[in-house]
Amino acid sequence: MASLETLSPPARASHWGAARLWLAVLAVLVLPLLFKGDFILFMATQALVMMLVAIGLNLLTGYAGQVSIGHGALVGLGAYATALLMVDAQWSFWPAALVGMLVATSAGLLMALPALRLSTWYFALVTLTFAQVVTDLLVEWRSLTRGFSGVVGIPAPSLFGKLLSPVQVYLTLALCVVLVFLATRQLVNSRFGRGMVAARDNPLAAIASGVSLWRIKLLAFAVSAAIAGLAGAFYAVQKTVITPEDFSTDFSIFFLLCIVVGGQGKLWGPVVGTLVFFLLPELLGQLQSWRLMIYGVLLLVLMLFAPHGLMGLAFWKRRASDRAAALKPPGDRALGLTPVAPMALTINDLHKHFDGVKALQGCALVAKAGSTHALVGPNGSGKTTTLNVISGFIRADSGQVMLGTTDVASLAPHQVAQRGVGRTFQTPKLLGEMSVLDNVRLGGYVSERASVLEVAFGLPRARADDAASTAQAFALLDFVGLTERAHELAGDLPHGQQRLVEIARALAGRPGLLLLDEPAAGLSMAELDRLAALIEVIAASGTTVLIVEHHLDLIARISQQVTVLDRGRVLAAGTAQEVFSHPEVARAYMGREGTGGSR
Ligand code: ADP
Ligand code: MG
């Protein structure tokens, strides 16, 4: 186990690193103020507006995996709402900007609805069409928007009754960008961020952890649209004139390029990407007309040499792992597991057909609360299908699934998970690009309580959630013997350890019922022994365990009851001793007479 001594030096180094980083940010922000004339300041303000949009889009596209080619339209809606309220209704900037954010958010949610049904690329097309419709609307709804000529004479924002100078607008915007960046960082490092990445990379893992894909994607949309709306408000007051053409498709694509260049799903990606994409051609001055060419070449070079964007380059990777190492295991933690209320499971007369295949034909079993129940049978006998039906991943054609006294057969799988059913998969489903620790923390998704706003502002409940989930994840990794690998990428672990991580993740939800699908497959003898001991402790903590397994020794050691399936029907049920001596079981399952032994 890693001791605190070995972990603290990188933690201190990363403190110093963070201080230097923010000093550099401050220097860059002050830089435009040192130049004479308005041009540099104007460009810098513009760059910050773009950066704001890119930060929001990165949350949606980089983290939640939803590609939007319509973000420019959301910026446009924020800009128009703010501009019209300020010009036509003499509102001051801040309430107008708030309405701008609300309008953009509502439009973003509208745009999001198809996201719940369509695959990524179809969805990207929908956002493109949506953006087209919005720009058409801005042109056609002349009585409100003044058509092609746009809104002119947008006043500067004021604060405490005083109009802000361009420098003050720049500083206010800079403050907003920093605050939004920090809020996004909080979100990304919270259960919401983990839920988004899981929804993007491994939806089944997300659902099994109790994440509603629908809600998490909607959340990403709402936050990123609100940020686009805020950026739009600044866009309007900075330019003082806005026209529908400002928000055309290439405007939308610009933001996508920024986050691709910077590195999608990396916090600093949109910051770096916007700087490169926006400022480079400007600084190159005469090369302006080569702008598109420069964009293209830059993209190609990056795709070749840095497919994960500038932020994916090795130098930054190392920083990221320093940061991860700063998360220390808590000093004194309780070994073992916190007790849970056991949950009884009764399934009755389950039927499930896949086209011609009758996977389940009256499958039934009763697992007493707090017991360990094994489900065995030859390949294709319906064991995995049974687990899928119990956890809601597959809806049975008929039959009952009772948790305690409630029928859960009609619940969605994330709802079943929220009710305390944890599961693993026959092939482990981990987030390969996420740390082992964060994989386990994902499992605690439903037990965290802080709302999005609490998380974004780093309020006490969010910090308590964060500390508790980290401590719990370390305790669980300790329990499965993987503390030292906490900061490695889950995808880098050998197969047997991935199984253990998946078990730790399932336990993070402190399930009343745990479903294990062939957890011992591919484990060494030593690992097998450890697994048996783990399951005994899990059961002792109160969790009911339903385990699909082929190792008869393991089953005989840990389970009180065994149900044998054959072609979707129950062939025998009873204690391990009883069923393994059952002649039909010996014939159908083991293909030989007698008991014991592993296969
Ligand atoms: P086991 O886990 O006991 O090996 P399964 O429950 O995975 O068996 O499968 C039972 C039967 O149902 C098999 O014949 C399998 O091919 C079929 N089956 C399982 N899932 C599907 C599916 N999604 N589509 C079609 N057939 C399936
Ligand atoms: Mg199976």
Side-chain angles (χ1 to χ4, degrees), residues 376-554:
V376 302
N379 282 331
S381 57
K383 306 180 296 294
T384 297
T385 304
T386 304
L387 295 195
N388 282 336
V389 168
I390 296 169
S391 52
F393 281 75
I394 287 179
R395 176 106 19 125
D397 299 335
S398 64
Q400 271 186 321
V401 179
M402 310 281 292
L403 290 182
T405 51
T406 36
D407 193 334
V408 296
S410 60
L411 293 186
H414 70 270
Q415 293 172 318
V416 178
Q418 286 167 4
R419 281 172 190 235
V421 178
R423 70 165 293 175
T424 64
F425 294 87
Q426 193 165 341
T427 350
K429 299 207 183 300
L430 295 181
L431 281 309
E433 298 282 303
M434 220 187 236
S435 72
V436 168
L437 186 72
D438 276 347
N439 266 279
V440 179
R441 291 175 80 192
L442 173 67
Y445 186 87
V446 292
S447 46
E448 295 184 41
R449 286 282 159 262
S451 67
V452 175
L453 285 179
E454 283 173 300
V455 168
F457 293 111
L459 297 186
R461 197 148 70 140
R463 272 180 282 149
D465 266 357
D466 192 62
S469 91
T470 309
Q472 190 201 32
F474 271 116
L476 287 171
L477 283 177
D478 197 36
F479 175 62
V480 297
L482 290 175
T483 310
E484 279 141 15
R485 316 215 75 162
H487 299 302
E488 288 177 41
L489 294 184
D492 291 345
L493 262 52
H495 184 79
Q497 296 190 343
Q498 293 201 8
R499 287 199 176 281
L500 293 174
V501 175
E502 206 186 27
I503 292 175
R505 179 177 73 199
L507 289 173
R510 294 312 294 119
L513 170 65
L514 178 63
L515 311 172
L516 300 173
D517 200 348
E518 304 199 16
L523 295 197
S524 65
M525 282 315 282
E527 286 172 326
L528 205 67
D529 209 42
R530 173 157 196 116
L531 178 72
L534 291 183
I535 295 174
E536 281 167 342
V537 178
I538 293 168
S541 76
T543 298
T544 309
V545 178
L546 178 61
I547 176 174
V548 169
E549 203 27 84
H550 286 303
H551 290 78
L552 302 187
D553 293 341
L554 180 67

Side-chain angles (χ1 to χ4, degrees), residues 309-385:
L310 291 173
M311 297 304 295
L313 293 173
F315 166 71
W316 293 96
K317 270 217 175 105
R318 200 171 50 80
R319 267 198 54 79
S321 66
D322 281 358
R323 232 184 88 75
L327 280 176
K328 294 182 287 286
D332 56 333
R333 58 182 178 281
L335 291 180
L337 297 170
T338 48
V340 292
M343 198 180 263
L345 167 74
T346 310
I347 61 178
N348 208 347
D349 202 24
L350 286 185
H351 287 262
K352 178 68 191 174
H353 292 199
F354 294 109
D355 302 321
V357 181
K358 293 176 176 171
L360 297 180
Q361 310 183 67
C363 173
L365 67 82
V366 178
K368 287 203 207 77
S371 72
T372 298
H373 194 116
L375 189 59
V376 302
N379 282 331
S381 57
K383 306 180 296 294
T384 297
T385 304

Side-chain angles (χ1 to χ4, degrees), residues 2 39 70 79 87 156 186 210 212-213 221 231 242 263 343 354 381 419-420 482 571:
F39 179 70
V87 173
Q186 302 275 26
S212 155
L213 297 183
F221 262 104
I242 51 171
M343 198 180 263
F354 294 109
S381 57
R419 281 172 190 235
L482 290 175
L571 188 63

Side-chain angles (χ1 to χ4, degrees), residues 178-215:
V178 171
L179 290 180
V180 166
F181 176 85
L182 292 176
T184 320
R185 185 169 76 173
Q186 302 275 26
L187 268 184
V188 162
N189 290 328
S190 74
R191 67 168 175 144
F192 299 111
R194 289 188 286 277
M196 285 174 198
V197 172
R200 177 193 75 192
D201 286 350
N202 203 329
L204 293 183
I207 295 169
S209 303
V211 178
S212 155
L213 297 183
W214 192 82
R215 288 184 62 161

